[in-house]
Amino acid sequence: MISIIALVSMVSAVYISDNAQTDAHAINLSGSMRMQSYLILNKKITNNKSEEIDRLISDFEKKLSNPVLMQATKKTEKKKLHDAIWYDWNNEIKPLILDSHLTNQKLNKLEKKLNDLVANIDHLVKTYQVHAEDNNRLIRQIQAASLLITISFIFLAIYMVNHLIRRPLSDLTIIATKIGQGDYTVQADEHGHDELSILAKTINRMVRAINDSHIRMEEKVRKKTKQLERTNESIQLLYSISNKSNHSHGSNIDFQPHLSKLSEVTGIEGLELCLMTENGTKPYHHLNTKKSILPLSCRNRDCSDCVSFDSPLESEEAYTFPLVYDHNHFGVLNCVPRNHEPLHPWQSQLIQSVAEQFAITLSLKHRQDEGRRLALARERTVIARELHDSLAQALSYLKIQVAVLQKGLTDPSVDISIENTISDIKTALNGAYKELRELLTTFRLKLEGSNLHEALQESFKQLSDRFSDKEIKFNNEIKNMPFSATEQVHLLQIAREAVQNAIHHSEGSKIVILLTSRKKNGYVTLLIHDDGIGIDTLAKKENHYGLAIMKERSRSLKGTLTIGNHAKGGTEVRFDFQPEFNIPLDVEKTYD
């Protein structure tokens, strides 16, 4: 608009100036015509020379008929004045001037006509002057109006730029800054239809989309976090149950904390654990998290339905998860959700896993009990055999000696030495007492530490402390080999008995124990070597309790026990056997 106004102002000024450019010339010509008419009158009065008068008349007519003056008099008023001047000149003034016999009367008439002509010329000049002044005034008015309108539009433009551009753009900048800082709740003013309004609408849609996406993402993160926390709690619960079962060491396991934790993780208050024996039909132990929610069958002590299946069962009152492992039924885990709501898949899966862990724990405990009973039976068999081979024989011998003594005392005809018999009985009693002490020492022997290596070290340390004059050196080259519990007990007994024999009978000062393995066949070798007097001092005691028990234990492991003299002196006890977990190791040496 400012450009259009400037263009209109300039065109108007050019147009008006173009129309007024002949006014000054026309005024000049009109003024000269006025002087020319007086000059003609003066010449006519003074000398009346026709040549000069004709020249002046010709000049006057030439100026009156000038194209500039003719063009300037196209408008009505000017045209009338010009025509009147031209008419007065041609019809009244010019004939009087050309009259050679000019009388005073005609002269006065000529002077009057010239004055009238001059008045008309003055009027024409005045008209030209007014026209020029009007043009100048119009130009000034157009310029002033253009300036005023231009200033108005400038202020309007400033207002529009501030209201429609600067302020919305500033608001958009502030909103963009807040969005960059993570505030997705801001909204821009989107009223209007201009470019910034379209941009504001687009930003608002973008912010709403980002905010919705952010909210959905946060909700997903919360759900995932809750799932991860729930999964972590479930894993910790299962690990706690497994760890507890692995470290129970035969003691009764308290399932109540695990049941309470399961109730806390799943959010189900109604949990009941019924423990049964393998062949039992009634539970021997009940654990509850909320006693009042027991199913009717449990309150009536009717367990027939619970022990008749091996997979989870859903009824109108509760969900039942059996504690079954390796086809052995150890009880059930009942679940009664609040208002009998269905279980979520993760709840059902967790409760099923806990039930399986409970079953595994009870199965391990059952197997440990069976193992302990079997080990106890085996140990009792060994004790009975050892008592039979030692004390039973001594008691039989004592019984015979007592019978002989009794017969000698009651029948004088029997020739016996009472003193010798009593001496033999004393000797036999001392031997039996000594063997009994050795048996008690052997039976009290137990595995110290967490494995065979630590148990052997602890046993040899105790012997070294008791017999400080003996140097006992132990070297184990198969620390990583797994031995069964029976193998560990027998190896410990054989090694300890051999070392005790060396301490008591070898008369040496150094004892070396070596536990190694042969690579090719996987046999384990236990070597005990001393620097004493050799095997001759023990030759008369081959039926001694210590040697007998070593041989008995070697037969239990299906191994070979060899006792003899070492090439470099002293006695060597060698025991070779193949362990159950037979994996040949990269150890193979030849021992002299």
Side-chain angles (χ1 to χ4, degrees):
M1 290 300 298
I2 293 174
S3 300
I4 291 173
I5 291 171
L7 180 62
V8 169
S9 175
M10 289 186 291
V11 171
S12 299
V14 170
Y15 177 76
I16 295 172
S17 299
D18 184 63
N19 289 336
Q21 65 179 353
T22 59
D23 288 348
H25 194 187
I27 292 172
N28 187 29
L29 287 175
S30 299
S32 63
M33 287 169 55
R34 184 173 51 189
M35 293 181 61
Q36 191 78 15
S37 63
Y38 282 117
L39 182 60
I40 291 172
L41 179 59
N42 185 41
K43 290 294 184 181
K44 185 68 176 176
I45 294 174
T46 55
N47 55 21
N48 196 18
K49 291 182 179 181
S50 58
E51 292 84 358
E52 292 182 3
I53 292 173
D54 290 338
R55 183 178 59 79
L56 292 174
I57 291 173
S58 177
D59 290 341
F60 182 84
E61 290 180 348
K62 188 182 292 184
K63 291 179 180 179
L64 185 60
S65 59
N66 192 290
V68 173
L69 191 61
M70 296 297 292
Q71 183 179 3
T73 59
K74 286 182 179 181
K75 293 186 178 182
T76 303
E77 183 179 1
K78 295 178 182 179
K79 177 104 175 120
K80 289 179 179 179
L81 289 172
H82 187 271
D83 291 343
I85 294 171
W86 187 263
Y87 179 81
D88 290 342
W89 171 263
N90 286 327
N91 295 323
E92 295 182 2
I93 297 175
K94 184 177 179 181
L96 291 174
I97 294 174
L98 295 178
D99 189 0
S100 57
H101 301 285
L102 188 64
T103 61
N104 289 331
Q105 184 179 0
K106 291 182 178 180
L107 183 62
N108 291 330
K109 184 180 179 179
L110 176 62
E111 184 177 0
K112 182 182 178 188
K113 291 293 183 182
L114 283 175
N115 289 331
D116 293 337
L117 179 65
V118 170
N120 289 332
I121 292 173
D122 288 339
H123 191 192
L124 181 61
V125 171
K126 183 68 174 176
T127 303
Y128 287 144
Q129 183 180 354
V130 170
H131 182 262
E133 291 176 353
D134 290 341
N135 286 337
N136 290 333
R137 188 181 302 107
L138 181 60
I139 290 176
R140 287 195 300 272
Q141 291 175 352
I142 292 175
Q143 293 296 329
S146 299
L147 179 61
L148 181 62
I149 295 174
T150 300
I151 293 174
S152 300
F153 274 109
I154 287 175
F155 281 106
L156 178 62
I158 291 174
Y159 170 78
M160 294 177 65
V161 168
N162 180 69
H163 184 71
L164 300 178
I165 298 178
R166 189 199 64 80
R167 188 179 300 169
L169 193 59
S170 177
D171 293 341
L172 290 178
T173 303
I174 295 174
I175 290 173
T177 303
K178 291 182 178 179
I179 294 174
Q181 294 173 352
D183 184 5
Y184 302 115
T185 60
V186 294
Q187 290 289 306
D189 184 10
E190 55 185 37
H191 296 87
H193 303 283
D194 57 356
E195 292 83 353
L196 291 178
S197 298
I198 295 174
L199 181 60
K201 294 177 182 178
T202 304
I203 290 178
N204 288 342
R205 287 195 299 269
M206 179 190 71
V207 171
R208 286 193 293 268
I210 293 176
N211 190 41
D212 294 341
S213 176
H214 192 263
I215 292 174
R216 289 194 299 269
M217 187 63 66
E218 286 184 345
E219 183 64 24
K220 289 182 179 179
V221 169
R222 281 194 295 269
K223 290 182 178 178
K224 290 294 183 182
T225 302
K226 187 175 181 180
Q227 291 177 359
L228 290 175
E229 291 176 350
R230 189 168 58 226
T231 302
N232 184 48
E233 291 177 347
S234 302
I235 292 174
Q236 288 181 350
L237 175 60
L238 295 175
Y239 171 76
S240 175
I241 298 173
S242 177
N243 186 56
K244 190 73 173 179
S245 63
N246 291 332
H247 294 82
S248 60
H249 300 296
S251 60
N252 292 326
I253 302 173
D254 184 11
F255 291 104
Q256 185 64 53
H258 304 310
L259 198 64
S260 300
K261 184 63 176 179
L262 178 62
S263 175
E264 178 184 345
V265 174
T266 58
I268 301 174
E269 297 180 357
L271 293 176
E272 181 212 15
L273 179 63
C274 298
L275 301 181
M276 304 179 187
T277 59
E278 183 178 354
N279 299 318
T281 59
K282 297 291 182 180
Y284 64 86
H285 192 37
H286 262 114
L287 295 175
N288 298 310
T289 57
K290 188 177 181 183
K291 296 182 179 180
S292 60
I293 52 83
L294 292 180
L296 182 60
S297 59
C298 293
R299 294 195 292 270
N300 294 333
R301 307 290 289 176
D302 182 11
C303 302
S304 58
D305 293 337
C306 295
V307 297
S308 61
F309 60 93
D310 295 337
S311 59
L313 178 66
E314 179 182 355
S315 64
E316 295 181 357
E317 291 184 317
Y319 293 84
T320 302
F321 298 87
L323 275 59
V324 178
Y325 182 74
D326 197 16
H327 304 291
N328 294 325
H329 205 292
F330 298 99
V332 293
L333 177 58
N334 289 321
C335 171
V336 182
R338 186 186 297 109
N339 300 325
H340 301 285
E341 297 175 353
L343 293 179
H344 295 290
W346 69 270
Q347 292 175 320
S348 178
Q349 183 179 3
L350 177 58
I351 296 174
Q352 176 67 22
S353 299
V354 170
E356 292 175 356
Q357 284 295 324
F358 285 170
I360 292 173
T361 300
L362 293 170
S363 177
L364 289 176
K365 183 177 181 301
H366 178 71
R367 290 185 180 183
Q368 289 175 359
D369 293 340
E370 288 291 335
R372 283 192 293 272
R373 284 194 293 268
L374 181 59
L376 181 60
R378 289 178 179 176
E379 190 64 22
R380 286 179 177 178
T381 301
V382 172
I383 292 173
R385 186 183 299 113
E386 291 170 354
L387 288 174
H388 177 271
D389 294 341
S390 57
L391 290 181
Q393 293 178 3
L395 292 175
S396 297
Y397 175 74
L398 286 173
K399 183 178 180 181
I400 294 172
Q401 292 296 333
V402 169
V404 171
L405 181 60
Q406 183 180 10
K407 189 174 183 180
L409 291 175
T410 58
D411 190 359
S413 63
V414 179
D415 186 14
I416 61 170
S417 176
I418 296 176
E419 292 181 0
N420 291 336
T421 303
I422 294 174
S423 177
D424 291 338
I425 291 174
K426 288 182 178 180
T427 301
L429 283 173
N430 291 332
Y433 179 71
K434 185 176 181 180
E435 289 186 358
L436 178 60
R437 291 182 61 185
E438 291 180 352
L439 281 173
L440 293 175
T441 302
T442 302
F443 295 154
R444 289 185 182 133
L445 183 62
K446 61 180 180 179
L447 283 173
E448 301 288 348
S450 60
N451 52 52
L452 178 62
H453 178 76
E454 294 181 3
L456 287 171
Q457 278 189 329
E458 182 65 23
S459 179
F460 297 148
K461 183 178 181 300
Q462 292 176 1
L463 292 174
S464 179
D465 293 340
R466 287 173 55 191
F467 304 96
S468 58
D469 59 332
K470 306 295 183 181
E471 180 185 357
I472 301 175
K473 185 177 181 181
F474 173 55
N475 184 19
N476 184 8
E477 297 178 348
I478 52 173
K479 297 178 182 178
N480 297 324
M481 178 173 285
F483 292 102
S484 66
T486 302
E487 291 170 348
Q488 293 184 43
V489 171
H490 288 320
L491 280 174
L492 179 61
Q493 290 280 21
I494 292 173
R496 184 181 178 90
E497 185 62 34
V499 173
Q500 285 181 338
N501 287 338
I503 291 174
H504 294 304
H505 307 294
S506 69
E507 300 181 8
S509 61
K510 184 177 181 181
I511 303 172
V512 178
I513 304 98
L514 174 65
L515 188 60
T516 185
S517 175
R518 284 175 285 175
K519 178 180 178 181
K520 293 183 178 180
N521 53 21
Y523 269 77
V524 171
T525 299
L526 175 64
L527 292 174
I528 300 96
H529 172 228
D530 61 65
D531 60 349
I533 60 176
I535 194 65
D536 290 340
T537 57
L538 298 177
K540 297 178 181 180
K541 298 184 179 180
E542 289 188 4
N543 294 326
H544 190 268
Y545 163 75
L547 297 178
I549 196 62
M550 288 169 60
K551 291 179 180 180
E552 177 64 26
R553 293 189 180 277
S554 67
R555 286 192 295 270
S556 298
L557 294 180
K558 300 179 181 179
T560 302
L561 181 65
T562 305
I563 302 175
N565 291 322
H566 195 272
K568 295 182 179 180
T571 304
E572 180 185 75
V573 178
R574 179 179 183 129
F575 174 59
D576 299 290
F577 81 104
Q578 192 174 32
E580 294 178 5
F581 194 74
N582 185 10
I583 299 180
L585 302 177
D586 293 333
V587 179
E588 183 173 12
K589 296 181 181 179
T590 301
Y591 298 97
D592 296 333

